[in-house]
């Protein structure tokens, strides 16, 4: 199958158990980080696009009941969720609408929902940072182990020819390559998602006050 | 209820994402395996070049080429000098125009066929009328001859040692440093045993590092000067394992200088052929 002796997989076939174990860990890391990347890419892009659409509708329509009805269509939009939480709290007040603590209760409900939404969006994202930070070191561990074996073989054969040393080092370097392959996409994705989640958080902070004002004006 | 639904939806999304991710990884691995397989398929061209161990010394082949070049000069013996003297040209030319030169190049093949050609005197006319045909024939015969010589060489290589250097009439295998019991050894054989013992002591290799399966034998020719210095080390026929070949060459190189050749053995340099196997030196 692996007729070319210089290929990646022919190197794998000759690798030791420690290197194989390291590669297995890195494979799991890579699979998990790509799963998170795929899931978060979908979640965050939906959250941003639906929030924008909801905001456009919110500023166009002054009636909060209509806005709430429309918010049901933006289930993944962060701002829509926060507005819904505020509206539910507003409706739950009932007879207490004349109370002075109304504003505080609505703003608390909105803050709670915004916090929940932020947590939801940033869930699993730190794992990307973990992969980005640790995968190169795990790969490096495999490499160091492989090179140690390679040098031991030099001692056994008592010859430091390229034919003796090179295969072992090549096998060992596969681990570093795998570590970098797992880490690079994870780091890129982590930076991107952190930046996107940060912008969503800022939107939530900015428009939470706007929503509270809308509900208070509705009372007045 | 909403939160529960969201959690369920998130779990479902995460599972879907894992499935997609696993699929992508499998696809990536399969693609890279396929690429490696493709690159492996393209390499046999190099193997054909390797076969051009054509210049290896054989019992009937040109020894001059062997002495001048090592293993690395193997691809040099281009087929041109061997195939230029095509058999058909000398058949025609000796009858019409006497040109002895091509006949000298191929002394073996000419005497067989002129006998058949002699009664047919019509052939020279055909050649003169159609000058292009010989070229085509030359190309065909070149390829055919090339294949034949390759097959012959392969057969020779498979049959036995590359040259007479490796045939021994003495005690034979250097299985022990003292020679076989009951066989009286001459000074030459004693010196050989001494040489082989020294080389074996300097030879270190681990059989575990030989990944290639099959018959591992390295035929090495070397010259021992009267002073004991080893020169003209030539890997007549290397084994499949390059690691094995390297260790053999190194062992010989580190063994130099050997003890000087005794006067009762030879005053001149001795050309010697050794066969290295994982079991020892023959």
């Amino acid at each position: 199958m692996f007729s070319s002796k210089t290929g990646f997989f022919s190197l794998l076939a000759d690798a030791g158990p420690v290197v194989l174990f390291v590669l297995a860990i890195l494979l799991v890391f890579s699979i998990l980080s790509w799963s998170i990347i795929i899931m978060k890419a979908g979640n965050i892009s939906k959250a941003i696009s639906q929030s924008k659409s909801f905001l456009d509708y919110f500023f166009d329509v002054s009636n909060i009941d209509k806005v709430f009805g429309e918010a049901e269509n933006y289930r993944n939009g962060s701002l829509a969720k926060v507005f819904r939480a505020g509206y539910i709290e507003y409706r739950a007040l009932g007879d207490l609408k004349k109370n002075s603590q109304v504003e505080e209760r609505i703003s608390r409900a909105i803050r709670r929902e915004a916090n929940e939404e932020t947590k939801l969006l940033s869930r699993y994202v730190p794992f990307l940072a973990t992969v980005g930070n640790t995968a190169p070191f795990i790969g490096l561990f495999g490499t160091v182990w492989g090179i140690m074996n390679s040098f031991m073989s030099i001692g056994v054969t008592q010859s430091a020819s390229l034919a003796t040393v090179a295969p072992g080092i090549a096998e060992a370097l596969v681990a570093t390559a795998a570590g970098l392959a797992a880490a690079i996409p994870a780091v890129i994705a982590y930076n991107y998602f952190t930046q996107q989640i940060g912008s969503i958080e800022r939107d939530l902070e900015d428009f939470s006050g706007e929503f509270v004002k809308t509900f208070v004006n509705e009372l007045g | 209820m909403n939160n529960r639904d969201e959690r369920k939806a998130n779990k479902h999304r995460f599972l879907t994402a894992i499935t997609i991710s696993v699929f992508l990884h499998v696809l990536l691995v399969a693609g890279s395996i396929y690429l490696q397989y493709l690159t492996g398929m393209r390499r046999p061209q190099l193997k054909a070049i390797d076969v051009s161990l054509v210049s290896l010394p054989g019992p009937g082949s040109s020894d001059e080429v062997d002495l001048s070049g090592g293993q690395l000069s193997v691809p040099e013996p281009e087929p041109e000098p061997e195939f230029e003297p095509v058999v058909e040209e000398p058949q025609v030319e000796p009858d019409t125009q006497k040109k002895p030169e091509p006949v000298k190049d191929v002394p073996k093949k000419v005497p067989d066929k002129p006998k058949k050609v002699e009664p047919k005197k019509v052939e020279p006319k055909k050649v003169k009328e159609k000058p292009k045909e010989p070229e085509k024939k030359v190309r065909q015969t070149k390829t055919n001859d090339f294949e034949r010589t390759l097959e012959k060489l392969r057969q020779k290589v498979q049959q036995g040692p590359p040259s007479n250097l490796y045939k021994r009439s003495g005690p034979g295998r250097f299985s022990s440093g003292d020679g076989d019991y009951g066989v009286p050894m001459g000074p030459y054989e004693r010196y050989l045993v001494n040489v082989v013992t020294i080389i074996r002591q300097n030879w270190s290799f681990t059989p575990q590092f030989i990944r290639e399966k099959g018959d591992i034998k390295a035929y090495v020719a070397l010259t021992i000067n009267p002073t004991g210095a080893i020169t003209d080390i030539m890997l007549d026929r290397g084994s499949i394992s390059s690691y094995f070949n390297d260790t053999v060459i190194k062992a010989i190189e580190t063994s130099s200088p050997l003890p000087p050749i005794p006067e009762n053995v030879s005053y001149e340099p001795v050309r010697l052929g050794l066969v290295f196997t994982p079991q020892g030196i023959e």
Side-chain angles (χ1 to χ4, degrees), chain A residues 1 3-10 30-31 34-35 38-39 43 76 81 120 153 156-157 161 163 171, chain B residues 6 10 13-14 17-18 20-22 25 29 32-33 36-37 39-40 43 204 206 209 211-212 243 246 250:
Chain A
M1 184 72 189
S3 51
S4 67
K5 290 180 179 178
T6 53
F8 183 82
F9 292 96
S10 51
S30 179
I31 288 172
W34 273 102
S35 307
I38 292 165
M39 188 180 72
N43 285 356
N76 293 312
K81 281 182 187 175
L120 194 71
S153 72
V156 171
T157 57
S161 67
E171 286 164 24
Chain B
E6 274 188 21
N10 275 333
R13 278 177 202 159
F14 191 60
I18 283 180
I20 292 168
S21 176
V22 168
H25 279 76
V29 169
S32 48
I33 287 173
Q36 189 178 332
Y37 179 73
T39 51
R43 289 192 179 181
S204 62
T206 33
F209 285 97
R211 289 167 184 165
E212 293 80 2
Y243 163 70
D246 287 346
K250 270 183 185 172

Side-chain angles (χ1 to χ4, degrees), chain B residues 7 18 88 157 261 263:
Chain B
R7 282 175 191 170
I18 283 180
E88 292 186 1
V157 166
I261 301 173
E263 290 178 356

